[in-house]
Structures are given as structure tokens and as C-alpha cells.
Amino acid sequence: MEAILSVTVPFFALVLAGYLAAHRHVLPESAIPGLNAFVLYFALPALLFRFGSGTPIFELLNPVVLGVWLLAAGVIVFFTIALTLKAPVGLKDAAFGALVAAFPNTGFMGVPLLVALLGPQAAGPVICVVLADLFVTSSVCIALAQAGDASGHGARDGALRALRGALSNPLPWSIAAGALFSVAGWSLPGPADTVVKMLADAASPVALFTIGAVLHRAGQHVHGRTPLSRVLPVAGIKLVLHPLLVVVLAGAAVALGLPLTPFQVGVMVLAAALPSASNVSLLAERYGADNGRIARIIMGSTVAAFVSFPLLAWVVGART
């Protein structure tokens, strides 16, 4: 447990540092979009490119990992909607609640954390789930959120907008570029490789700091207080039910003889146990959902994961 905490505590401490910096106005709110842009367009793509270029293509697009993850995400999405779809939570709010229940913070937090905890070989399965959530989970939830559009084309238009958003996201393209370099056996020339390495090294601390700042900003723009009865169940689904479901489905896949190693299962379980993706609050605001509820779920899952994630990592036998 001490080895696990030596990895996880600094990660969550940087999230807290970002939150406190924003809370104390050491970091102006106007600076948060700049930090977010640096991570999204420069640092994290460089990190994912390096992992992609050093990982076999089959591990980046492992069909068994993708299948198990997407099946678990689908069950979580529809279970969460069924559980929460009652007044005053409409379909749009229930769908975004389902998205925070099924979409862990694998991009900004999960990739660097799981690689630090489990080693570079964890990059392949984590990148698999990043791609699955960016293209499928988020698209399905946004389509469901838009299904009640009076035009009758809400679900289709919502899915298309979500897909366009995923395609405009630099993360999949950086993974694709890394995979191309991996397949072709290419390598960057010395100066370019040094630049990419410097950006990649900045990804983890800046991304975690930014998560904290984004969470604080989301909380500041919430109008009114969402009852805990509409927050805690979804946070519990994210941190408890989601990883448990991945364990069950992965076990079923292994029982059917599908090629899935214990290490891949462990990576997926820990990815599912991560707190909710912080960018879902931005999506909820963009689509006119109850951003206050979403922000509180993300905040609750992030705070609780400080305890729940190391415990689960210890249970599954993670070692640094």
C-alpha cells in the first residue's frame, strides 16, 4: 500500500493544488482556458504520441479490450438513466449523469497515473478505453441527451455533433500518429524528439493542476445547490459499480476463451475506478443540461477517489 500511495497521493495533491490556486485567486479564472489548451493541444498529445509510437498497434486497438469496455459502458449508461430519470431530472440531465458515471478521467489523469503505477505496458489498454469513450460513449450519451429535441432530429444531430467534436479533438490524432510511427518503425529526429519529450514531461503535472482549477471554476458557476440524493448515487456508480462490472464482464470474456490477460483486466478495472472526466461539465453547459449537478458529481467522485482508488489498486495487486 505504501508503494501505491507514493504514486497516487502526489497525483491527487496536484489536483488539490490547482483547486486551491483557483480558490485563492493565485490562478486567475481567465488563465484556466490557457492551461487547458496547453494540455489538450500540446502536452497530452505529445505524451500520447510517445506512448502510441512505443506500443504495438494491436494493443492500442485491442478488440477484446474495446468490446469489454464498451459493453460495460453501455450497461452503466442505461442503468444510470433508468435509475435517475425521474422528476426533476429529465432525459437530458439523466444522459449527462450517465456520461459522468461511465466516462472516467482517463485522458488528463488516467494515462499518466496508470503508467506511473503499473508501468509503460499499461499505455495500450488505457489508450483503448480513451478512444472508446471519446468516440462511442460520449456520442451515445449526447445523442440520448438530445433525443427530446422538438425538431425530431435531436438524437441524430447530437450524435453527429459529438462525433465531429471527437474528430476535432487532438488526442485521437496524436494516438493515430504514434501508431503510424510504431507500424512504420519511424522515429523523430533528435531536436523534434526532444521537444516532444519536454512537452510530454509537462503533461502530467499541468493536466492534474488544470483538473483542480476546472473543478473550482465549475463550482463557482453553479447556481443553487443540487441535493446529495441526486449526486451520491451517480458518484457511487462511477467508483464502485463501474469497476465491478468491468471485473464481471472481463471474467466472462476470459471464460469464453477470449484473449484477455490478467494485466489488461487490472488496467481496465483501475481505469473504470478513476473519477469522472472533468470535461463533462463543459459539455453539459454547452448542451444546456444541469451543470450544477454534473459538477457536484465530478467533484464528489474526485474527492472520494482519493481513498477508493488506492484501495482498489491494492486489492487488484498493483505494484510500482
Side-chain angles (χ1 to χ4, degrees), residues 17-199:
Y19 184 92
L20 292 176
H23 178 69
R24 291 289 186 177
H25 305 292
V26 175
L27 178 71
E29 184 175 325
S30 59
I32 296 175
L35 279 177
N36 201 52
F38 172 75
V39 175
L40 184 62
Y41 290 98
F42 294 95
L44 198 53
L47 180 69
L48 293 175
F49 173 82
R50 285 177 63 85
F51 285 138
S53 62
T55 305
I57 186 67
F58 180 77
E59 293 184 30
L60 296 175
L61 295 171
N62 187 308
V64 181
V65 171
L66 287 170
V68 169
W69 185 265
L70 287 174
L71 182 57
V75 172
I76 290 294
V77 164
F78 288 101
F79 174 77
T80 305
I81 290 175
L83 182 69
T84 59
L85 185 58
K86 53 187 175 183
V89 178
L91 180 58
K92 179 179 290 186
D93 293 330
F96 275 102
L99 185 56
V100 289
F103 195 166
N105 207 335
T106 42
F108 278 32
M109 178 182 284
V111 173
L113 175 56
L114 293 179
V115 168
L117 191 62
L118 302 172
Q121 64 271 30
V126 181
I127 289 174
C128 263
V129 306
V130 168
L131 291 172
D133 285 333
L134 281 175
F135 283 102
V136 181
T137 310
S138 59
S139 297
V140 168
C141 288
I142 291 173
L144 290 170
Q146 296 292 93
D149 194 314
S151 68
H153 301 292
R156 184 192 65 187
D157 293 344
L160 289 174
R161 287 174 64 188
L163 185 57
R164 284 195 295 268
L167 290 173
S168 66
N169 190 312
L171 304 188
W173 295 108
S174 62
I175 294 168
L180 177 61
F181 271 65
S182 175
V183 171
W186 297 339
S187 59
L188 291 172
D193 186 61
T194 300
V195 170
V196 170
K197 182 179 184 302
M198 291 172 68
L199 287 171

